[in-house]
Amino acid sequence: MTRMFVDAWDPSYGSSFEGGAEGGDGPASPSSAQVDTDVEVPAAEWAPIDVSSSVRCPDVVFLVDGVRRNDAGLWTAEEDGTSYAGLAASYAAGVVRCDLARGAAELVGARVGRGLFTASPSAGDVQAGTVRYEVHRIHGTGEASKLPAAVQGPLTALEIDISSAAREMGASFAGDDLLVVDGPLRNRRQLPRTIGYVKTQQKQYLPATLTAVVTSLRPSQRTPVFHLGTVWGGWSWYLRLPGASGAPWSGIVRVECSPDLTPEQAIELAEISGATLPRFASSAYKDPRAPQNLVPIAGLERRLRGMLGDARVLHRALTLATARSR
């Protein structure tokens, strides 16, 4: 008899395990990446791994995340009669420091950026009251539907800067800290004691026999470490957080670390992540993306959104600024 489960995530956030909208390239279809599953144990011996009693959590955990918001859509009227779409957007990145010994968390760094994204060859920065939207020139025709994706580049750059600053803060802990980056590592692979935390699964990297190991994980268990041979590839593993609904992929996150590490170093980080990340799992009655949206990350997102300012005030300021320019 077929069993059914309600995904713990609020449907307005999509699903914690998403397929592609086109082309069937979602998790139901295999990734094109070359995967080495014999890193920690041979593939034939894959089984869920419990947290070892010998593994201790780091004293301090830094978590980095970013947020973005579309403030207004714009259009330009060029001298030659053509017109280009534009998007005014705000974005921010920050880092929260969690002291596990004291049970305290604090925001220790944050930056806000704003941009005007357009393919217009003549558009310049827009001064909307006290806020400046720096122009980001988009290649191609700059269709309005593609402009929101262009915001991710500057936001990622901001997150990279914040991640580097967090790593410098952690230098005083003599290796007894961990930096958790919300999302893939990308070009933060050079940062020591750093893991990427991927909470939405959009690709299925493992063959069916090993995927069954992922879906059989109990809370706080992880899979063995495997290697992804992609452009941004590296060592990776799956972990199930406590508080999942019981559905096969509920509460599953994929964690990754730098390919520059040795297999032994990657396995050590996997063990540390299994002992550390479940402590931050969120609850469904508090967070619509529980348990994957970690409690410190959710708090950081709220603070960062507050730093973006009132969307209605900014929309009005943009309306007045563009009116004056005409």
Side-chain angles (χ1 to χ4, degrees):
M1 181 177 180
T2 300
R3 297 181 298 162
M4 298 187 71
F5 301 86
V6 173
D7 195 314
W9 280 33
D10 184 318
S12 62
Y13 288 96
S15 170
S16 58
F17 184 57
E18 295 184 344
E22 298 178 2
D25 64 343
S29 59
S31 167
S32 59
Q34 292 184 340
V35 181
D36 179 5
T37 55
D38 296 324
V39 176
E40 187 169 357
V41 297
E45 299 176 14
W46 264 47
I49 299 175
D50 291 305
V51 178
S52 171
S53 58
S54 63
V55 178
R56 63 178 294 272
C57 295
D59 289 339
V60 173
V61 179
F62 294 96
L63 298 101
V64 173
D65 194 16
V67 299
R68 49 186 284 184
R69 186 185 67 204
N70 298 337
D71 292 337
L74 301 93
W75 288 92
T76 69
E78 309 293 325
E79 290 186 359
D80 61 2
T82 59
S83 181
Y84 292 90
L87 174 66
S90 298
Y91 46 93
V95 55
V96 58
R97 177 185 181 273
C98 296
D99 188 323
L100 299 187
R102 295 191 300 117
E106 59 179 333
L107 180 70
V108 292
R111 288 178 56 190
V112 176
R114 307 188 196 270
L116 170 62
F117 299 84
T118 180
S120 166
S122 62
D125 296 355
V126 174
Q127 186 70 37
T130 60
V131 173
R132 176 174 291 273
Y133 289 83
E134 180 183 353
V135 68
H136 292 261
R137 206 82 60 193
I138 306 302
H139 297 295
T141 55
E143 300 96 321
S145 62
K146 296 182 179 179
L147 294 179
V151 183
Q152 189 59 46
L155 173 56
T156 298
L158 206 58
E159 291 177 345
I160 291 170
D161 289 345
I162 288 290
S163 298
S164 299
R167 221 344 103 235
E168 292 175 5
M169 283 183 245
S172 61
F173 291 96
D176 196 18
D177 71 330
L178 180 69
L179 174 61
V180 181
V181 175
D182 193 74
L185 277 181
R186 295 192 176 93
N187 44 4
R188 288 167 284 194
R189 54 203 287 175
Q190 79 284 0
L191 300 177
R193 302 182 306 284
T194 301
I195 57 175
Y197 177 82
V198 183
K199 57 178 175 277
T200 303
Q201 308 312 313
Q202 298 178 330
K203 289 286 186 180
Q204 185 164 305
Y205 295 103
L206 301 174
T209 54
L210 301 186
T211 296
V213 176
V214 179
T215 56
S216 70
L217 294 175
R218 295 195 303 272
S220 299
Q221 288 184 328
R222 67 172 178 89
T223 66
V225 173
F226 56 95
H227 186 268
L228 290 176
T230 60
V231 174
W232 295 110
W235 309 109
S236 191
W237 58 94
Y238 289 98
L239 169 70
R240 190 188 294 274
L241 299 176
S245 68
W249 283 88
S250 177
I252 295 290
V253 297
R254 186 176 65 81
V255 191
E256 61 182 36
C257 63
S258 172
D260 300 332
L261 301 177
T262 65
E264 293 74 21
Q265 290 172 324
I267 292 169
E268 180 183 4
L269 277 176
E271 293 177 337
I272 292 173
S273 74
T276 305
L277 295 179
R279 299 181 59 166
F280 297 131
S282 52
S283 302
Y285 73 93
K286 290 184 177 180
D287 194 309
R289 288 176 288 171
Q292 288 99 317
N293 201 42
L294 303 179
V295 172
I297 290 291
L300 175 60
E301 288 176 341
R302 287 192 294 270
R303 289 287 299 275
L304 293 177
R305 290 193 181 99
M307 294 174 66
L308 295 182
D310 190 308
R312 295 167 299 180
V313 172
L314 288 170
H315 190 280
R316 178 169 176 77
L318 284 163
T319 301
L320 293 174
T322 53
R324 285 194 298 269
S325 70
R326 294 194 300 270

